[in-house]
């Protein structure tokens, strides 16, 4: 069983999501399928095989924070997951590992599973800092003293939306480091997803790499014709 999560980013309509859910209901799979969609689409009815998630959450529970949405509100919509620390939040909203940890803690306290993203920029990669950024991302973005109700996603930031993917060796090395770091933190068994330019043609190969428990898919999660082949590429 793998986790196949879609991140719609700022795309789509409720009608698109209803079409996707209708198409996915016909797919015979034991994989755990998650769709992380804009807030306005949460609450669209999905069946038990497809869970919805948000793409960001406030670190605050309620109050005078205009424009923010809290974890308890996301849970109230029926969603089960929330992405935190996506590279686009880190890049465009200056989110740091500290911010991400607070948001993940807020998600956990409302009973949501945070999908905590880490990954290096091209600059960091070129400076030979990939492993350092990944390890500090994992150590600093995950709240202390928690149960295992989290998912980690490794998203090499330079490869997102670029049609680029790291080599299988690079993915294996990053995921081994993440798995080892999680074990050292008492969180062994935490699922770790790979995300960046995943598509039907590379999904099976990526998910056959050790310590890759699933994928987080951007562009190729928007249309059933692109997303379903990813879901059915693995048992
Ligand atoms: P792409 O699959 O479009 O590269 O996006 C990856 C991503 O950012 C998923 O969160």
């Amino acid at each position: 069983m793998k986790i196949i999560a879609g991140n719609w980013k700022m795309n789509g309509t409720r009608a698109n999501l209803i079409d996707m859910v209708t198409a996915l209901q016909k797919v015979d799979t034991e994989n755990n399928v998650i769709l992380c969609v804009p807030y306005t689409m949460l609450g669209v009815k999905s069946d038990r095989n497809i869970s919805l998630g948000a793409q960001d959450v406030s670190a605050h529970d309620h109050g005078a924070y205009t424009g923010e949405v809290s974890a308890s509100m996301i849970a109230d919509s029926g969603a089960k997951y929330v992405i935190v620390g996506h590279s686009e939040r880190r890049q465009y909203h200056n989110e740091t590992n500290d911010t991400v940890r607070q948001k993940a803690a807020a998600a956990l306290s409302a009973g949501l599973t945070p999908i905590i993203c880490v990954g290096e920029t091209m600059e960091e990669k070129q400076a030979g800092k990939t492993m350092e950024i990944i390890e500090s991302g994992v150590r600093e973005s995950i709240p202390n003293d928690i149960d295992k109700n989290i998912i980690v996603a490794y998203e090499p930031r330079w490869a997102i939306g670029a049609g680029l993917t790291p080599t299988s060796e690079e993915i294996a090395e990053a995921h081994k480091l993440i798995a080892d770091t999680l074990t050292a933190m008492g969180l062994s068994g935490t699922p770790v997803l790979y995300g960046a330019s995943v598509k039907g043609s590379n999904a099976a190969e990526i998910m056959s790499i050790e310590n890759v428990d699933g994928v987080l898919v951007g562009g190729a999660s928007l249309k059933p014709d692109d997303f379903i082949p990813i879901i059915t590429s693995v048992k």
Side-chain angles (χ1 to χ4, degrees), residues 31-70:
N31 295 321
N32 179 9
V33 180
I34 304 168
L35 284 171
C36 295
V37 294
Y39 291 129
T40 51
M41 297 175 210
L42 295 177
V44 162
K45 206 170 157 313
S46 62
D47 78 354
R48 67 194 143 74
N49 295 324
I50 305 148
S51 306
L52 295 186
Q55 302 170 5
D56 181 38
V57 62
S58 175
H60 305 288
D61 182 57
H62 65 278
Y65 301 102
T66 301
E68 296 206 28
V69 176
S70 74

Side-chain angles (χ1 to χ4, degrees), residues 2 4 33 44 47 53 63 80 85 113 130 138 159 174 179 183 188 198 204 210:
K2 298 282 187 186
I4 316 286
V33 180
V44 162
D47 78 354
K80 303 273 181 260
T113 301
T130 298
V138 172
T183 299
S188 64
V198 175
E210 218 177 334

